[in-house]
Amino acid sequence: MPSTSSSAPLGIVTLPQHILEAQRKHPTATGEFTWVLSGITLACKIIESQVRRAGLVDILGSANQVNVQGEEVQKLDLLANEAIRQSLGYRGNVGIVASEEDDEPTVLQKTRPGTKYIVLFDPLDGSSNIDVNVSIGTIFSILEQREDVPETDGPLPQILQPGINQVAAGYVVYGSSTVLTYTTGFGVHLFTLNPEVGAFVLSRENIRLPESGNIYSTNEAYKHDYPESYQAYLDWVKTKEAGKRSLRYIGSLVADFHRTLLKGGVFLYPPTIEQPGGKLRLMYEANPLAFIAEQAGGMASDGNQRMMEKQPTALHERTPLIIGSKNEVEKVLSFVQ
Ligand code: AHG
Ligand code: MN
Ligand code: MN
């Protein structure tokens, strides 16, 4: 049972209560931070209700559009994108939102200083799994607007900050249950949606990512497209010397990461011939998950450097990703660096 806070009867701690608790610890956050996170969780509840009914209403399948990523957009991608934009649009203190599904960022509020936050998100991660009822998710990253950048330069210089500047990050997995994991820099905490009351309830606090783990997660079909050094790691991991290993690959980053966070191991999406810069996106996939991994005692790298120290140069910039147990990430890096 999670530790009960004095104000919560029956030991139930909801997400707003937990965030307020985090407010008191976070040096710069003010009450408005709670307001932003509650906007995101509202959107995730809307998405969850649609995901659960996807087979019943006509929101499965393709929207017959291609997004800025050059990928076919699913109807649920657009619905999720709209749910988050709408929920944040009325939060007042969110100045800029940027989504995987939108070519450009959206400036919601021009005036400062009220508009303190920037929210980046992957509204629906694992889109290829929507129609086959496999876990999918939503990923978000929260930055603060930089006072040193004139607004006349537009939103991009505000957004292109390294992952170490994130004030919060999290994800939701719409799986056998709907779970939300987040950090504000004070540990990683897991909430489970209680559908009866529509509230995210604390189920695990201060999660630690196991230092080692025997699960490795990558799309082995691409092995021969990976750089030789990654192929060498994938050969080694199957040897007796590597010990008993298991391969798990769901194809939804957020689900593969959630398993890694709880059970340990390593997820890797290396550079490929087709995508030498990697497939996954730095700002709203790799960085938020890297923040969570590090806060739980794990590691995240692009194969050359700590993920959260990368200086982004473009909103939809892609990156190779190696993330998970400290010892397992270091083992991969011993081959690729
Ligand atoms: P998205 O659905 O947001 O585009 O993300 C899909 C990503 C990620 O979820 C997953 O790890 C990866 O694509 C799977 O890629 P492959 O199908 O190439 O393995
Ligand atoms: Mn994604
Ligand atoms: Mn997506």
Side-chain angles (χ1 to χ4, degrees), residues 180-225:
L180 180 144
T181 304
Y182 92 107
T183 185
T184 59
F186 291 88
V188 174
H189 314 294
L190 170 61
F191 295 77
T192 303
L193 182 68
N194 176 339
E196 269 80 59
V197 297
F200 280 107
V201 175
L202 182 66
S203 29
R204 279 185 64 178
E205 247 187 334
N206 298 312
I207 296 176
R208 303 307 295 161
L209 206 162
E211 287 225 328
S212 299
N214 72 356
I215 299 172
Y216 74 101
S217 183
T218 194
N219 190 334
E220 283 264 5
Y222 304 151
K223 179 184 169 198
H224 297 296
D225 286 349

Side-chain angles (χ1 to χ4, degrees), residues 100 122 124-127 139 253-254 280-281 284-285:
E100 174 196 69
D122 177 355
L124 207 77
D125 175 65
S127 307
I139 311 172
L253 169 63
V254 72
L280 300 173
R281 276 61 56 138
Y284 41 81
E285 288 178 316

Side-chain angles (χ1 to χ4, degrees), residues 132-164:
V132 293
N133 204 29
V134 168
S135 297
I136 50 184
T138 298
I139 311 172
F140 62 88
S141 169
I142 302 179
L143 295 164
E144 285 179 339
Q145 298 221 47
R146 294 169 40 185
E147 298 304 323
D148 61 334
V149 172
E151 286 190 275
T152 45
D153 294 358
L156 272 181
Q158 288 288 347
I159 296 172
L160 301 180
Q161 301 179 43
I164 46 176

Side-chain angles (χ1 to χ4, degrees), residues 9-210:
L10 310 177
I12 292 175
V13 177
T14 61
L15 183 55
Q17 280 171 288
H18 197 268
I19 297 168
L20 282 169
E21 199 60 36
Q23 292 304 140
R24 282 190 267 279
K25 294 175 194 159
H26 202 296
T28 60
T30 59
E32 58 193 352
F33 187 71
T34 316
W35 189 227
V36 176
L37 272 173
S38 70
I40 294 170
T41 52
L42 170 66
C44 292
K45 288 180 204 169
I46 294 168
I47 297 167
E48 193 270 345
S49 68
Q50 299 294 340
V51 165
R52 295 280 167 247
R53 295 185 302 124
L56 303 174
V57 292
D58 177 27
I59 51 172
L60 283 177
S62 166
N64 298 318
Q65 290 176 32
V66 173
N67 63 13
V68 64
Q69 321 285 342
E71 292 159 350
E72 187 171 19
V73 179
Q74 304 298 309
K75 289 176 190 164
L76 217 44
D77 282 323
L78 295 180
L79 187 138
N81 197 42
E82 221 22 62
I84 297 181
R85 288 167 58 93
Q86 293 291 330
S87 303
L88 291 175
Y90 302 108
R91 293 285 135 175
N93 53 15
V94 176
I96 302 171
V97 293
S99 164
E100 174 196 69
E101 297 303 333
D102 299 330
D103 303 11
E104 300 300 328
T106 304
V107 178
L108 294 175
Q109 318 264 347
K110 282 228 182 297
T111 53
R112 274 191 199 156
T115 61
K116 191 173 178 182
Y117 296 106
I118 300 167
V119 181
L120 299 117
F121 53 92
D122 177 355
L124 207 77
D125 175 65
S127 307
S128 61
N129 280 326
I130 294 173
D131 290 6
V132 293
N133 204 29
V134 168
S135 297
I136 50 184
T138 298
I139 311 172
F140 62 88
S141 169
I142 302 179
L143 295 164
E144 285 179 339
Q145 298 221 47
R146 294 169 40 185
E147 298 304 323
D148 61 334
V149 172
E151 286 190 275
T152 45
D153 294 358
L156 272 181
Q158 288 288 347
I159 296 172
L160 301 180
Q161 301 179 43
I164 46 176
N165 290 6
Q166 293 174 96
V167 289
Y171 62 84
V172 174
V173 182
Y174 310 106
S176 45
S177 64
T178 296
V179 296
L180 180 144
T181 304
Y182 92 107
T183 185
T184 59
F186 291 88
V188 174
H189 314 294
L190 170 61
F191 295 77
T192 303
L193 182 68
N194 176 339
E196 269 80 59
V197 297
F200 280 107
V201 175
L202 182 66
S203 29
R204 279 185 64 178
E205 247 187 334
N206 298 312
I207 296 176
R208 303 307 295 161
L209 206 162

